[in-house]
Amino acid sequence: AQAVGTSDRAVCKRLRLVVQNEMIRATVLRLNASLLRHQNQWLQEAHHAAAIRPWHSMEQPHRQQLHQLPLQRLPDQPKPTSSDCNNFVPRVSTPSGAKKNFCEYSCPETVREICHGKVPGWSMRPVQDITVTKLGSGLSNVNYRVTMTSPAVSVPCVLFRVYGKGISVLYDYTMEFQTFKMLSKFQIAPRLYASDDEWRIEEWHDSIPLPNSNMCNPSILVQVAAQLGRLHKISFKPDFPSELHAQQPLHVTRLERWGDAFSQIARHPKVAGSVARMGVQEMLAEREWLAKFVVEGSSGTSSGLDVVFSHWDCQENNVLQTPYGLRLIDFEYSGMEHQAFDIATYFLECTIDYLHDEYPYYKLCLHNFPTETEQRFFCCVYLSEYLGVAVKPEDAAVSVLLERVQRFTLVSHLLWAFWSVIRAHQQSMDGGFDYLHFAEARWALYKQSKDAMLQALQGAGRGTGSTNRHGDWQQHGWNSQKHFV
């Protein structure tokens, strides 16, 4: 307006519109140019992946189905649409002669090199503009935050995850990857950009882990309860994978598999002394009794025994606080499980702080176990979401669910004790998290909790109980208790 020497409001308004339109047009042109670069990169990755697939199929035939790429085009075919680009996830295995080991994939320079080639838009930028920061919160994997400092990239930051050594003992990697892709499709897990047999690149969420001290805050309880209620309903979706739906509850298979691995590892000199003090045969003998005890008694919808899709590791580092609410992450242990297990796990994890910076690098705070009021509040919110009807803390359905949750605290203690011994054997003794110390603590809590639970059962005169740890079981009652840790 000053340039044309006028103060007329109508003229000024028209001039502003002209300027705005020009700014919008320039922005659209820049975005179109950026999109074209990204499409070209994705197309090149698709051609490369298709070219090596014959070798990959011969090298690993049992993963042929998993490694099929959804995008297959010849060079002279049309460019991919934006929809194709969103659905294409490059997954390329390294030839055996050039296979890197765990330590090499954990090297920041290797992480930088892989991300430069695999993250959409990054190959057009200098590799020196990529920064790699190791994150110290994972107990099963090594995780890195990888950031592109160059401006105007569509993906400014990603999570690079290196799978821990020996994970096949703990969970089925192939099934875990399929599960992650399913959850990504449902927009529950982060978006997947690329993966290999040893690593994957995921969407990064600006967030902070949920502090252990806040896990019983009512605003947190209501969000976690609602999140679990929604998660547990996805197995009812018509497009939920049938092969996953047909699985046994995870605690059944892991009591056997993790227990057998624990039994073998217990003889290894690295862990034998500590494990012997725990009582190997006593721990193994608990499996048969426990598998029966947790499913005895009441049944029916929402009683805690519904077999649903479960997160299975709902602890502070796997619950992120984001600008748009809480978000669950790290689904590597997920699968079908009785609904009470996730709730029991969350209640127990309220007492364990994994961000403690002094030996043994975790801290037990048993007084932080949710009070009965907090437990009932959590369960009424969970049931209200899961059932789609209003449930109040004093309703009988809450009491029934809580009784089952208390039993599943024993499953959590025993399985994570087995897991900790397995991890202690796999990890180098570098002064970090003491897995053996953690295993002894979980086993001690198991025994204390079981004794308190059986006393309550016998005192109530209803349900199932025992006068000794491995004796004959008689019918006794269940008296809902505050907690047993």
Side-chain angles (χ1 to χ4, degrees):
Q2 292 175 350
V4 299
T6 180
S7 60
D8 182 83
R9 288 188 176 183
V11 174
C12 291
K13 184 176 181 179
R14 286 196 297 272
L15 287 171
R16 281 198 300 270
L17 289 175
V18 170
V19 173
Q20 290 172 358
N21 288 337
E22 286 301 310
M23 292 175 63
I24 292 171
R25 190 175 70 85
T27 301
V28 169
L29 289 174
R30 287 196 301 270
L31 289 174
N32 285 341
S34 176
L35 179 59
L36 181 60
R37 289 195 302 271
H38 296 167
Q39 289 175 339
N40 289 337
Q41 180 198 358
W42 281 318
L43 188 57
Q44 291 170 3
E45 291 171 342
H47 294 156
H48 174 67
I52 73 162
R53 189 189 302 165
W55 169 86
H56 184 66
S57 299
M58 290 185 291
E59 186 73 11
Q60 299 183 22
H62 61 286
R63 291 186 179 171
Q64 184 174 2
Q65 292 292 330
L66 179 64
H67 290 182
Q68 285 181 344
L69 296 175
L71 187 59
Q72 304 176 47
R73 294 186 177 85
L74 297 175
D76 57 348
Q77 288 184 306
K79 294 180 181 179
T81 64
S82 59
S83 176
D84 291 330
C85 295
N86 288 335
N87 292 330
F88 170 59
V89 178
R91 177 171 169 76
V92 180
S93 295
T94 308
S96 57
K99 196 73 172 178
K100 297 178 183 293
N101 59 36
F102 177 82
C103 294
E104 289 177 301
Y105 278 122
S106 300
C107 170
E109 288 303 319
T110 302
V111 173
R112 181 181 289 108
E113 175 188 346
I114 293 173
C115 289
H116 185 252
K118 297 299 181 185
V119 179
W122 286 21
S123 62
M124 309 296 294
R125 307 291 179 176
V127 69
Q128 295 80 6
D129 290 353
I130 300 175
T131 61
V132 179
T133 305
K134 185 175 181 180
L135 307 175
S137 59
L139 296 182
S140 297
N141 305 300
V142 177
N143 300 317
Y144 296 88
R145 177 181 179 177
V146 188
T147 306
M148 170 59 74
T149 59
S150 298
V153 291
S154 59
V155 183
C157 186
V158 297
L159 176 72
F160 188 92
R161 183 187 302 274
V162 182
Y163 303 129
K165 295 182 291 184
I167 61 171
S168 60
V169 178
L170 298 172
Y171 57 83
D172 184 337
Y173 165 73
T174 301
M175 181 58 69
E176 187 273 338
F177 185 72
Q178 293 174 332
T179 300
F180 182 87
K181 289 201 298 183
M182 173 198 70
L183 294 173
S184 184
K185 169 188 171 184
F186 291 159
Q187 297 184 339
I188 295 174
R191 181 180 176 184
L192 178 65
Y193 292 115
S195 67
D196 198 338
D197 292 339
E198 307 292 336
W199 52 264
R200 70 171 172 244
I201 304 174
E202 304 174 11
E203 177 184 14
W204 174 267
H205 291 280
D206 286 322
S207 59
I208 59 172
L210 176 64
N212 179 261
S213 58
N214 286 355
M215 290 180 71
C216 286
N217 185 300
S219 69
I220 300 299
L221 290 175
V222 70
Q223 292 183 74
V224 174
Q227 288 265 21
L228 288 180
R230 287 190 288 272
L231 179 68
H232 288 178
K233 290 190 291 186
I234 70 167
S235 52
F236 305 144
K237 294 170 67 72
D239 54 345
F240 188 81
S242 57
E243 64 275 15
L244 184 57
H245 208 293
Q247 286 185 344
Q248 278 188 306
L250 285 170
H251 82 273
V252 175
T253 55
R254 285 174 177 167
L255 280 172
E256 178 181 359
R257 189 171 184 180
W258 290 9
D260 290 348
F262 161 81
S263 178
Q264 295 177 6
I265 290 170
R267 298 189 290 269
H268 194 280
K270 185 176 181 180
V271 300
S274 298
V275 177
R277 292 194 301 269
M278 296 167 62
V280 176
Q281 295 307 315
E282 183 183 7
M283 293 179 69
L284 293 172
E286 288 295 313
R287 296 183 293 176
E288 182 178 357
W289 168 80
L290 185 59
K292 297 177 181 178
F293 176 69
V294 293
V295 297
E296 288 176 341
S298 61
S299 60
T301 302
S302 73
S303 66
L305 291 179
D306 292 8
V307 179
V308 299
F309 182 81
S310 164
H311 183 282
W312 221 84
D313 189 17
C314 196
Q315 48 109 331
E316 59 177 344
N317 291 318
N318 293 339
V319 183
L320 297 183
Q321 297 181 102
T322 73
Y324 39 87
L326 296 186
R327 187 181 181 103
L328 297 174
I329 61 166
D330 290 356
F331 292 87
E332 59 260 43
Y333 292 98
S334 298
M336 304 305 291
E337 182 59 274
H338 295 294
Q339 62 190 148
F341 183 87
D342 269 345
I343 302 173
T345 296
Y346 186 80
F347 288 174
L348 290 172
E349 295 294 346
C350 291
T351 69
I352 308 172
D353 183 3
Y354 296 104
L355 299 182
H356 190 63
D357 58 2
E358 297 179 0
Y359 180 83
Y361 301 102
Y362 75 94
K363 183 178 180 181
L364 281 175
C365 303
L366 302 185
H367 61 275
N368 286 342
F369 195 94
T371 65
E372 184 174 358
T373 298
E374 291 166 340
Q375 292 179 52
R376 298 189 76 88
F377 173 67
F378 185 100
C379 288
C380 82
V381 173
Y382 167 82
L383 288 173
S384 296
E385 175 63 43
Y386 180 73
L387 297 174
V389 296
V391 178
K392 298 180 180 179
E394 64 272 15
D395 287 351
V398 172
S399 300
V400 171
L401 177 58
L402 270 178
E403 291 172 2
R404 191 62 53 186
V405 168
Q406 299 293 359
R407 295 192 181 208
F408 271 90
T409 60
L410 298 180
V411 179
S412 181
H413 280 316
L414 184 60
L415 281 172
W416 289 116
F418 287 155
W419 174 89
S420 299
V421 173
I422 296 169
R423 293 296 288 154
H425 172 67
Q426 295 170 343
Q427 296 294 324
S428 60
M429 298 300 183
D430 57 0
F433 187 90
D434 192 330
Y435 290 96
L436 288 176
H437 191 285
F438 187 68
E440 293 185 62
R442 295 304 293 258
W443 172 235
L445 289 171
Y446 173 90
K447 293 187 289 185
Q448 294 171 13
S449 300
K450 179 179 177 180
D451 288 342
M453 200 174 298
L454 298 187
Q455 291 176 13
L457 286 166
Q458 293 169 356
R462 295 179 291 114
T464 301
S466 175
T467 56
N468 58 73
R469 185 157 287 120
H470 299 295
D472 295 331
W473 287 89
Q474 302 174 353
Q475 293 299 313
H476 295 287
W478 173 260
N479 182 23
S480 182
Q481 302 293 309
K482 176 182 176 182
H483 61 271
F484 296 101
V485 296

